[in-house]
Amino acid sequence: MTDPEVLRYTAFSHDPDGGNPAGVVLDATGLDEHAMLKIAAELGYSETAFLTAPPEGFGGAEGRSFTVRYFSPKAEVPFCGHATVATAVALGERIGPGELLLATRAGTVPVSVTSEGGRLRATLTSVEPHTEEIGAEDLAEALAALDWPEADLDPAFPPAIAYAGARHLVIGARTRVRLADLAYDFDRLEALMRRLDLTTVQLVHRAGPAEFHVRDPFPVGGVIEDPATGAAAAAFGAYARERGLVPADAVLTLHQGTDLGRPGVLTVELRAGDPRVRVGGEGVRIP
């Protein structure tokens, strides 16, 4: 078969130089896992999304439902938020704004695409999330790999593992300076994350009641840091709600990528009575 067209989009920014770049293959028919991984590795972004036809009887509007698989340069991941937003924006440009339904390894993910002032915005709805405690020895190993002393942690954010399609270790930084100073042991953190089946480590500093700065080391994906992480944002929303750090009805703003020179903004919406988390942001094609 001929080589598929690989599109490049950034998510969580309207600036091609901001947010998190992702690869998007809108027609991955005939590609096997090896071919998908090869494309993702050659592209070098933290994730690339590959679309094929939806499962039989999956539902959704005709022509607006798809199966999606996500690959980092090193491995397949069950779900990726920024690549989902990038994919939805790419589809919105081709088939128009509206509702999409995606079959992912993590479960069914609805996505709404809207146009605001000529810019496309995509909002995904996560699978049902949950959180779990992390053992003291595992936490100590994570902090050692990060070279973060316990005194630098925010006691209002007890470390925990949160899931909303993928597993992330949430750790709160007491100061913005602590968050900005990130120089970790890549191999040591990767080994721990593989043992705990973590996708990223979500490092968080609270800037206001509903405003946060976040960073996400991503050694298991083969990159030092993910510039804007939708799956981790969804997991963090679930964590913050479960811990009573935010109201059951809340809209949170997460700033990410600033320390990498790729600033992006993620909007996290929580709704009382609905355990799922909505994560939205703008996206644009990278020339």
Side-chain angles (χ1 to χ4, degrees), residues 7 14 28 44 48 70 123 132 153 204 223 231 237 284:
L7 305 173
H14 65 269
T48 297
Y70 308 93
T123 300
E132 63 187 70
L153 304 188
V204 183
V223 296
V284 67

Side-chain angles (χ1 to χ4, degrees), residues 5-27:
E5 183 181 17
V6 182
L7 305 173
R8 295 162 174 81
Y9 278 76
T10 197
F12 302 115
S13 175
H14 65 269
D15 181 352
D17 293 325
N20 195 355
V24 179
V25 178
L26 293 178
D27 184 4

Side-chain angles (χ1 to χ4, degrees), residues 66-156:
F66 305 89
T67 295
V68 186
R69 297 178 70 178
Y70 308 93
F71 284 80
S72 78
K74 295 181 70 171
E76 184 173 10
V77 297
F79 178 68
C80 173
H82 87 274
T84 297
V85 168
T87 296
V89 169
L91 288 169
E93 289 181 346
R94 287 155 180 78
I95 62 178
E99 303 304 311
L100 304 169
L101 197 64
L102 306 180
T104 77
R105 279 182 53 200
T108 300
V109 177
V111 187
S112 178
V113 182
T114 58
S115 180
E116 303 174 4
R119 296 175 180 172
L120 289 178
R121 181 180 184 85
T123 300
L124 65 88
T125 300
S126 77
V127 298
E128 188 162 338
H130 62 262
T131 66
E132 63 187 70
E133 302 304 319
I134 180 170
E137 291 184 3
D138 290 333
L139 176 59
E141 178 63 12
L143 295 179
L146 290 168
D147 195 22
W148 280 27
E150 287 194 30
D152 283 355
L153 304 188
D154 186 341

